[in-house]
Amino acid sequence: MITYEPTTQTFHLTNGLISYVLQITAYDVLTHVYFGQAVAEINGLRRYPMLDRSFAPNYAPATTRGYSLDTQPQEYPCGLGDYRSPAVDVRRADGGQYVDLHYRTHQISAGKPALPGLPATFATDQDAAETLTIDLEDPTSGLVVKVQYSLFQSLPVITRSAEIQNNGTQPVTLTKALSASLDLPLDDWEVLHLDGSWGRERQITRQRVTPGTFSLGSTRGTSSHQHNPFLALTHPTTTEDQGEAIGLTLIYSGNHQMTVEEDQFGSVRLQAGINPEHFSWQLQPQASFQTPEAVLAYSSTGLNAMSQAYHRLFLDHLMTSRHTHEVRPILINNWEATYFDFTTERLTPIIQQAARLGIEIFVLDDGWFGHRANDRSSLGDWFEFPGKLTGGLAGLAQQVHTSGMKFGLWFEPEMVSPDSDLYRQHPDWALALPDTTPLTGRGQYVLDFSRQEVRDYIGAEMRTLLDRVPIDYIKWDMNRSLSDVFSRALPPEQQGEVAHRYVLGLYELIEHLTSAYPNILFESCSGGGGRFDAGMLYYMPQTWTSDNTDAVDRLGIQYGTSLLYPPVTMGSHVSAVPNAQNGRQTSLSMRASVAMSANFGYELDLTELTDHELTTLGEQIAFYKRHRQLIQFGTFYRLYSPFDDGALTGWGMVDTPRSQAIFFIFTTHAQAHPRLDVVRFKGLAADQHYTVSGLTGVFTGSELMHVGFYLDPAAYYGDNNARTYVVTATDAP
Ligand code: DGJ
């Protein structure tokens, strides 16, 4: 899949789906040539013209005045003579801030190497991927940057990362170390990204790329609710099913930055990596620094194909949990039903009713530990709240198990409350600036997870509990942004490392616990989807998508999330109405259809439902169980976007043989005398005949995909209606 042509010094990475082409040009600079649809042969057609551009520095002696780093399309730019954003920046022992990188050697190997201490994609079968490592060297400092590219056999994606080694004799300080950078030629580029807030995660924004730098990122210590580590370059003509899309994401859960920089000639530099703001890293001689992995995806057939590539990559080559490919259980969580106000007596009828309905896991959320009666205490004290549960957690777990369900428990391991035994014993374990009281967030402090002893202590506390109480599922929460990012355990010159060391420490503890308890299903959470990223998915195969459980708001949240993350990774629950976050009333059927479009569960007080509602729940649960293999693991298609002007939102899943599919269509606004929409499905086999639940007759895939049918007028009566269509292959009539 990866070839090197020595006469032109050209690398061609191709798997028949995409091509990625690099070339070593004059002065041994690694340049970018092409990323896009696969081409069988590369014979040097695209050459960057040697023009003498004004105010563009040249290497001396300037025999080739046309060769300037300021104009060359590069692969891992270092900023010397190039005024665009560099991928790496260094402060040397003599105070100089520069690095000058030139090709030295390369290696092509089978498989996909792991990245030390970091989540990354993998190939269990060595033949399924190939990796190119190119060494770039700075001749005067001895710094070597090993830029790494991996290509998977049947996916239109390229993974990239860089390892920076100090082979010199002096320490240096990295002040920027990105994972990927590439320069694309002039085009009518747009950038699409996923932004939002708590309760409004991953909304789609799309805008033109204009001269200057568009940058998104996080300095919150997490990947954040505000800007998911993802963007896509598209064109104004790119739709879900047509046109080019180049996706870029980062397998990382901390401070990140993604930029799109249009330069003076309209070329576009695309970059992703650890956010350089507040970042620095001391690199002693012989030490090395590993960046997180970035993943580029290419589609010439719109955003759906780009998303499908990411979904498959994550499921097959990223998520390590043994539960990844298992159908996920239907869950009930007590949070919105009781908040902190629970006792065994209050939970018992919910548990009994849940078991009767066929729900498969009961999850006890926040409030079972220390003396936590509200959100003002006890984080860090991961021992039971004495007397809160009759028979304690073990008794509750037994009760849940006896009822036939599994038992799940909530933790927030990275935090400490000022009112906790842990904080009283170890006030210095919280992140805190010298001589100041740290800022609180939700009344709590952040533990300094860059410190081994802090992680070890929390890990040991959790293990004590996990070894005593039979727990099948853990919800790992994280409810504030980092502030006061200073570690008492590090010297002054290393304080710029704390945020990244925090993430490395977090990964180490999670790796330890998920390997020690492989049967436990872990779900990550950060006040909903504040840390919904590929880094966490590497360890935990599902994420609580948002604290906003309103079905209508969830349409946008789940639609945006699906750009990158497969539905099986998105926790989605039916909650009570009026909705606790926005007060909206929606029907049970609407709430269930939205929640069923992903990893399904409930989060409401079952004892408050009428008999009729309980019967409906029983039907929903049976329906989801019948179709969840398809919903959780089918190929996902977005049909209609809630971010467009149309009346519909819609999506669906199709199984690999295209013999089963399910589509969900939603209307959110009532219309008198409605304009009628034609619904068209996607992903079916054109010539295959199908039946469709709710429609009379037998239709070919092409009729269903191209001709379509009018949505039934009742769907416009009243706000917020859902329609579900189960599509089944059948013989020709
Ligand atoms: C935030 C989570 O997103 C909620 O689901 C719930 O677990 C609360 N934290 C508990 O404090």
Side-chain angles (χ1 to χ4, degrees):
M1 290 192 282
I2 302 179
T3 53
Y4 175 63
E5 210 288 295
T7 46
T8 56
Q9 296 192 286
T10 303
F11 299 96
H12 184 187
L13 292 71
T14 186
N15 56 7
L17 299 169
I18 51 166
S19 283
Y20 194 100
V21 182
L22 315 166
Q23 190 175 20
I24 300 153
T25 52
Y27 306 100
D28 291 331
V29 172
L30 182 63
T31 62
H32 178 84
V33 179
Y34 173 74
F35 180 36
Q37 283 198 56
V39 281
E41 278 183 36
I42 290 290
N43 290 319
L45 181 63
R46 188 189 281 182
R47 289 199 182 91
Y48 195 79
M50 295 295 140
L51 296 178
D52 181 10
R53 299 287 203 175
S54 304
F55 286 82
N58 313 114
Y59 281 107
T63 45
T64 48
R65 292 219 348 209
Y67 193 95
S68 171
L69 290 178
D70 198 24
T71 60
Q72 286 293 319
Q74 297 182 59
E75 272 294 309
Y76 202 75
C78 54
L80 186 69
D82 175 3
Y83 299 95
R84 297 165 292 178
S85 163
V88 58
D89 213 355
V90 161
R91 199 167 45 244
R92 301 173 180 233
D94 65 6
Q97 273 187 275
Y98 63 95
V99 57
D100 184 18
L101 295 174
H102 301 269
Y103 168 82
R104 284 298 165 259
T105 182
H106 73 267
Q107 200 194 348
I108 297 170
S109 51
K112 167 67 185 55
L115 302 186
L118 284 163
T121 55
F122 59 82
T124 24
D125 172 3
Q126 281 287 95
D127 295 339
E130 235 170 71
T131 297
L132 165 68
T133 308
I134 301 176
D135 286 16
L136 306 173
E137 190 185 24
D138 177 290
T140 57
S141 67
L143 270 192
V144 172
V145 179
K146 290 174 169 293
V147 287
Q148 197 174 83
Y149 303 79
S150 295
L151 180 63
F152 291 86
Q153 211 161 46
S154 51
L155 287 171
V157 303
I158 299 274
T159 63
R160 290 194 49 181
S161 62
E163 183 193 350
I164 302 168
Q165 294 179 341
N166 183 359
N167 293 346
T169 53
Q170 298 291 314
V172 298
T173 305
L174 293 176
T175 54
K176 187 174 189 182
L178 297 186
S179 304
S181 178
L182 69 159
D183 292 341
L184 299 165
L186 172 77
D187 214 327
D188 57 347
W189 295 115
E190 284 191 345
V191 56
L192 177 156
H193 47 105
L194 303 175
D195 53 69
S197 176
W198 174 87
R200 191 163 38 81
E201 296 92 335
R202 291 172 295 284
Q203 307 292 297
I204 297 178
T205 302
R206 204 164 156 171
Q207 62 205 63
R208 286 204 68 87
V209 173
T210 53
T213 301
F214 167 81
S215 170
L216 63 85
S218 166
T219 52
R220 295 170 180 271
T222 58
S223 49
S224 87
H225 300 88
Q226 286 73 14
H227 295 290
N228 201 255
F230 167 75
L231 56 77
L233 279 188
T234 58
H235 305 291
T237 47
T238 304
T239 66
E240 287 289 6
D241 306 295
Q242 282 175 344
E244 271 195 315
I246 295 177
L248 176 61
T249 189
L250 209 54
I251 303 177
Y252 190 58
S253 311
N255 294 340
H256 61 91
Q257 190 183 62
M258 331 268 305
T259 56
V260 182
E261 178 180 8
E262 183 180 318
D263 73 6
Q264 55 185 326
F265 305 113
S267 302
V268 164
R269 177 165 287 179
L270 196 54
Q271 296 187 318
I274 292 177
N275 198 325
E277 212 163 298
H278 307 308
F279 168 82
S280 64
W281 196 273
Q282 283 281 299
L283 212 50
Q284 297 298 331
Q286 307 319 312
S288 67
F289 178 83
Q290 175 62 59
T291 74
E293 185 163 280
V295 187
L296 287 154
Y298 179 81
S299 162
S300 59
T301 53
L303 293 162
N304 264 322
M306 178 203 71
S307 301
Q308 288 162 8
Y310 278 120
H311 295 182
R312 281 193 40 221
L313 179 80
F314 290 175
L315 284 164
D316 297 344
H317 299 285
L318 175 74
M319 295 159 63
T320 52
S321 163
R322 70 167 54 159
H323 304 283
T324 301
H325 294 279
E326 287 173 3
V327 289
R328 307 299 170 76
I330 300 174
L331 167 164
I332 183 150
N333 179 305
N334 74 308
W335 179 243
E336 284 200 26
T338 67
Y339 297 104
F340 295 100
D341 187 16
F342 58 82
T343 55
T344 304
E345 293 64 45
R346 177 103 163 79
L347 296 175
T348 296
I350 298 179
I351 292 166
Q352 287 169 345
Q353 190 60 267
R356 265 198 297 276
L357 289 169
I359 291 174
E360 296 154 313
I361 293 197
F362 170 79
V363 178
L364 183 63
D365 211 281
D366 195 352
W368 56 265
F369 51 93
H371 61 280
R372 188 156 165 101
N374 50 47
D375 65 11
R376 288 191 287 279
S377 84
S378 304
L379 293 167
D381 295 346
W382 299 110
F383 48 81
E384 282 185 48
F385 191 147
K388 188 156 181 176
L389 296 167
T390 325
L393 277 177
L396 189 71
Q398 192 188 8
Q399 184 188 343
V400 171
H401 285 148
T402 309
S403 77
M405 289 191 293
K406 296 192 164 179
F407 179 60
L409 197 61
W410 180 97
F411 287 91
E412 193 176 359
E414 297 151 73
M415 297 293 152
V416 64
S417 302
D419 175 10
S420 64
D421 292 354
L422 180 62
Y423 189 70
R424 281 182 283 273
Q425 279 158 24
H426 296 286
D428 59 317
W429 280 10
L431 290 175
L433 302 174
D435 308 320
T436 59
T437 307
L439 303 179
T440 53
R442 206 196 189 197
Q444 62 204 47
Y445 298 142
V446 184
L447 286 170
D448 182 356
F449 261 37
S450 73
R451 290 172 68 172
Q452 186 76 52
E453 69 273 38
V454 177
R455 304 194 296 269
D456 287 351
Y457 176 87
I458 295 295
E461 265 196 320
M462 290 179 71
R463 290 193 69 148
T464 304
L465 197 96
L466 297 178
D467 290 341
R468 190 174 60 75
V469 181
I471 288 166
D472 309 295
Y473 161 108
I474 286 178
K475 178 176 175 185
W476 182 300
D477 206 347
M478 198 282 189
N479 282 302
R480 60 161 292 183
S481 305
L482 270 56
S483 65
D484 306 82
V485 181
F486 185 95
S487 175
R488 293 173 210 215
L490 287 173
E493 62 278 11
Q494 283 189 273
Q495 290 300 328
E497 301 178 13
V498 178
H500 181 54
R501 285 186 183 275
Y502 177 95
V503 178
L504 294 178
L506 171 70
Y507 287 153
E508 186 204 84
L509 178 59
I510 297 176
E511 169 86 53
H512 168 74
L513 290 169
T514 50
S515 326
Y517 302 92
N519 290 329
I520 295 182
L521 173 62
F522 282 78
E523 175 161 310
S524 82
C525 173
S526 175
R531 203 162 52 186
F532 202 141
D533 58 61
M536 294 307 281
L537 283 182
Y538 174 86
Y539 305 98
M540 305 192 188
Q542 53 194 66
T543 304
W544 180 224
T545 312
S546 177
D547 275 348
N548 186 343
T549 51
D550 169 58
V552 177
D553 284 355
R554 274 294 186 119
L555 292 177
I557 294 168
Q558 293 178 198
Y559 196 96
T561 304
S562 79
L563 257 292
L564 196 57
Y565 308 103
V568 68
T569 64
M570 297 183 213
S572 193
H573 301 169
V574 172
S575 61
V577 287
N579 181 268
Q581 288 76 35
N582 67 7
R584 189 171 358 234
Q585 289 278 356
T586 47
S587 66
L588 195 48
S589 117
M590 174 79 178
R591 279 175 278 154
S593 298
V594 174
M596 271 191 210
S597 306
N599 194 326
F600 185 48
Y602 291 89
E603 190 156 335
L604 75 183
D605 188 348
L606 296 176
T607 63
E608 289 184 354
L609 300 186
T610 63
D611 286 348
H612 177 68
E613 286 169 329
L614 288 170
T615 307
T616 307
L617 256 62
E619 290 162 5
Q620 291 168 350
I621 288 161
F623 179 88
Y624 190 74
K625 285 182 180 170
R626 267 201 310 283
H627 299 289
R628 70 176 146 185
Q629 177 70 38
L630 172 64
I631 292 172
Q632 295 182 354
F633 298 105
T635 304
F636 184 73
Y637 288 87
R638 288 178 297 272
L639 307 186
Y640 303 103
S641 170
F643 300 100
D644 289 347
D645 294 335
L648 309 184
T649 295
W651 48 54
M653 296 83 173
V654 182
D655 70 355
T656 311
R658 298 173 195 237
S659 56
Q660 290 284 326
I662 189 163
F663 294 97
F664 299 89
I665 302 290
F666 307 95
T667 50
T668 48
H669 295 290
Q671 290 183 49
H673 221 214
R675 292 156 42 131
L676 300 176
D677 295 275
V678 170
V679 172
R680 297 179 180 89
F681 297 154
K682 293 180 184 173
L684 302 175
D687 298 331
Q688 173 67 54
H689 287 81
Y690 297 96
T691 58
V692 181
S693 64
L695 304 182
T696 310
V698 171
F699 313 97
T700 61
S702 50
E703 188 174 354
L704 289 164
M705 292 190 293
H706 305 306
V707 181
F709 58 93
Y710 287 104
L711 185 62
D712 72 283
Y716 305 91
Y717 191 78
D719 286 344
N720 308 325
N721 292 303
R723 296 286 181 271
T724 304
Y725 303 93
V726 177
V727 180
T728 312
T730 185
D731 293 336

